[in-house]
Structures are given as structure tokens and as C-alpha cells.
């Protein structure tokens, strides 16, 4: 059984208000639900939410169970909890706003696909949708890799002098002295249990299977330079979805949901247009 270290339990992870669920009411009759990825929070999708709210739509972004301040509990979670949480949000928005669209980024794309298969929202948009780890050989050899890996240490070889590394850590936890050797040692020792990776793998498999029975009109948006979710895999997923209206490949990385990424502007234009098409019809 996974037990987080006292150091991890003491960290003020995702403590800023921006990481909490958001609900912004709009004057138009439809609503858009935004589903964050791993290990994200609603803060990741706030720029997208702001753009959609400026168009008059109600925007909601839940915090999935086990994420945000409760992320130390994540290894004990099951993907069905995330799907059920999104289904409940869709039902609540539908009761108050009628027409509902769901957008999910990365892991949130897989959750969105599974939730949409059951709740049938007006449309679904999948941004860099996750459904498997890396290239095919990783998927098929995962049982052996899991046995050899034991637990994954994502920061084992981190360069704490690298501004990008520091910024990624500071997005999760504020106030850490990243120049302190003791803090660095604790971060290098941080382990992600492979049980969590197993659960993410099961989620991807379930989403891949559900794609063939998708009935909700869908738009898939993919960064051409994405190395986490490969464009070829997104095209494969789209071919399994009978209702995928199109795949938009835009310049950019896995972070096309963030202003500053090369794919942000074209991705936003495609998403806003799809919302208009599905909710204003």
C-alpha cells in the first residue's frame, strides 16, 4: 500500500485559490465543462474558460478526485471516480442550462470521452487526448516495464538550476527553497507508484474501446510537436470515433491549452468555433 512521506504530506501543494473548481455563469443558454489533465487542476484551463466566458457561455471546471491539494491520495484513486465526477457535472449543468459541451485536455480527454459516451452532451472537444503511453512498444511491454521499474522517480535526475524545471515545480507547490540541498534530496526521492500508472493505462484502454461507440459529435485538437500525446495516436483515435467531425493539427506542443504555446491561438479559434456550432445551433 502506498504511503506518502512526511515531507510530501507537509507540502502546500496546489494551495492557491486558482486551483479550486470554478463556475462562471454566462448570459447565453448553453454551458461548457472543462476537464483538466494529469497532474493538473482547473487553473490549467482558466485561460480557455475565460475566452469561452467572454463569448457569453457558462463555464465550469471541476477538480477531479485526488487532484489539487489532495494529490497525495491520487495513487489510491480509480479512473471511474473521475468519470463519475464529470458525469455528475454534466447532469448538473444540463439541469440548469440545457445544452452542454465537454472539453478535456490530455488525461481529461480520456475522461471526457468515457463520460460523454454515457451522458451524451451536445458535443465533446478533446485536446491532445491521452489514450496510451508513448509508442506502441511501451503499451505492449508494460507488464515487464512495471516489474523492472517498481516505482518511478520523475525528479531523480532533475536539474534544479534549470528555469523550466523550477517553474514546473513552482506551479505545483509554492514556497519551496529549490536551492536547499535537503529539499532537492527529498524531491529526487519522490516516487510515483506504478499502481497509479497502471490506473492511467486502464483509463487509456477504456477510452480507446469506448471510441468505437461514441455518439456525441467530436472535435480533436492536437499539437504537431506534442511528444507526450503523439499526433499519429490522435489520428488513430479519431478513426475509431464515428462522430469525430475533424482533427485539427495546430503548431505547438502538449500545452496547446496555454497562452504562449504556438498552438494556443489556432486551437482556441477551433474550439470557440466548435462551441458556437454545437451550442448555438
Amino acid at each position: 500500500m502506498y504511503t506518502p512521506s512526511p515531507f510530501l504530506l507537509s507540502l502546500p501543494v496546489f494551495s492557491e485559490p486558482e486551483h479550486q473548481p470554478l463556475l462562471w455563469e454566462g448570459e447565453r443558454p448553453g454551458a461548457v465543462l472543462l476537464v483538466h489533465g494529469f497532474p493538473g487542476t482547473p487553473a490549467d484551463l482558466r485561460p480557455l474558460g475565460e475566452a469561452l466566458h467572454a463569448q457569453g457561455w457558462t463555464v465550469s471546471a471541476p477538480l477531479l478526485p485526488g487532484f489539487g491539494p489532495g494529490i497525495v491520495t491520487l495513487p489510491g484513486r480509480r479512473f471511474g471516480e473521475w468519470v463519475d465526477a464529470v458525469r455528475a457535472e454534466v447532469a448538473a449543468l444540463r439541469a440548469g442550462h440545457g445544452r452542454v459541451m465537454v472539453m478535456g485536455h490530455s488525461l481529461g480527454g480520456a475522461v471526457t470521452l468515457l463520460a460523454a459516451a454515457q451522458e451524451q452532451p451536445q458535443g465533446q472537444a478533446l485536446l491532445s487526448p491521452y489514450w496510451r503511453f508513448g509508442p506502441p512498444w511501451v503499451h505492449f511491454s508494460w507488464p515487464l516495464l512495471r516489474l523492472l521499474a517498481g516505482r518511478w522517480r520523475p525528479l531523480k535526475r532533475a536539474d534544479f538550476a534549470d528555469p523550466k524545471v523550477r517553474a514546473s515545480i513552482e506551479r505545483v507547490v509554492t514556497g519551496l527553497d529549490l536551492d536547499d540541498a535537503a529539499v532537492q534530496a527529498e524531491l529526487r526521492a519522490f516516487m510515483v507508484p506504478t499502481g497509479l500508472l497502471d490506473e492511467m493505462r486502464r483509463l487509456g484502454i477504456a477510452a480507446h474501446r469506448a471510441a468505437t461507440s461514441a455518439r456525441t459529435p467530436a472535435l480533436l485538437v492536437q499539437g504537431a510537436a506534442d511528444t507526450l500525446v503523439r499526433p499519429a495516436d490522435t489520428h488513430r483515435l479519431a478513426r475509431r470515433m464515428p462522430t469525430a467531425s475533424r482533427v485539427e493539427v495546430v503548431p505547438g506542443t502538449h500545452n496547446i491549452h496555454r497562452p504562449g504555446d504556438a498552438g494556443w491561438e489556432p486551437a482556441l479559434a477551433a474550439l470557440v468555433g466548435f462551441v458556437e456550432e454545437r451550442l448555438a445551433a
Side-chain angles (χ1 to χ4, degrees):
M1 180 178 178
Y2 172 70
T3 303
S5 71
F7 174 75
L8 289 179
L9 290 171
S10 71
L11 293 179
V13 292
F14 297 110
S15 58
E16 300 297 323
E18 65 186 21
H19 297 297
Q20 294 300 311
L22 64 85
L23 175 61
W24 298 330
E25 293 288 346
E27 67 272 14
R28 300 176 76 175
V32 184
L33 179 65
L34 306 178
V35 186
H36 66 77
F38 173 88
T41 70
D44 294 347
L45 298 176
R46 285 179 75 93
L48 176 56
E50 289 167 353
L52 293 169
H53 188 245
Q55 298 294 315
W57 305 111
T58 291
V59 176
S60 173
L63 179 65
L64 296 179
F67 286 83
I71 201 166
V72 293
T73 71
L74 192 57
R77 299 288 182 168
R78 297 293 178 264
F79 76 79
E81 296 179 68
W82 308 331
V83 176
D84 287 345
V86 172
R87 290 185 62 195
E89 291 289 336
V90 171
L93 286 174
R94 181 178 283 135
H97 300 275
R99 301 162 75 86
V100 179
M101 266 199 63
V102 185
M103 295 184 179
H105 172 252
S106 193
L107 176 142
V111 173
T112 292
L113 181 56
L114 286 164
Q118 299 176 70
E119 293 300 321
Q120 298 301 310
Q122 200 68 25
Q124 60 178 319
L126 311 180
L127 291 74
S128 305
Y130 158 76
W131 63 271
R132 74 177 178 191
F133 294 121
W137 69 265
V138 174
H139 177 79
F140 291 112
S141 58
W142 175 247
L144 177 60
L145 292 175
R146 186 188 192 286
L147 180 65
L148 295 175
R151 290 183 176 183
W152 172 44
R153 295 185 180 183
L155 297 174
K156 184 177 181 180
R157 295 181 176 84
D159 177 4
F160 293 105
D162 184 335
K164 291 183 179 178
V165 172
R166 297 172 77 95
S168 66
I169 294 172
E170 288 165 357
R171 277 198 297 268
V172 175
V173 55
T174 57
L176 277 184
D177 182 358
L178 295 177
D179 297 314
D180 187 313
V183 170
Q184 292 182 7
E186 290 280 5
L187 293 175
R188 293 187 195 283
F190 166 61
M191 294 185 293
V192 176
T194 50
L196 173 57
L197 302 182
D198 272 339
E199 196 60 26
M200 291 177 62
R201 181 172 178 266
R202 284 189 282 269
L203 166 64
I205 292 171
H208 188 250
R209 289 174 177 167
T212 58
S213 57
R215 300 191 301 278
T216 299
L219 167 69
L220 287 75
V221 186
Q222 172 68 45
D226 192 336
T227 58
L228 294 178
V229 172
R230 304 183 312 159
D233 285 336
T234 294
H235 282 288
R236 288 189 184 95
L237 183 66
R239 286 195 292 270
R240 291 177 61 84
M241 298 176 66
T243 57
S245 60
R246 65 185 185 275
V247 179
E248 290 279 350
V249 178
V250 299
T253 68
H254 194 63
N255 297 322
I256 55 175
H257 61 301
R258 292 178 181 166
D261 187 271
W264 163 251
E265 292 291 346
L268 179 62
L271 294 168
V272 168
F274 191 59
V275 171
E276 288 286 340
E277 175 188 321
R278 297 307 309 161
L279 292 187

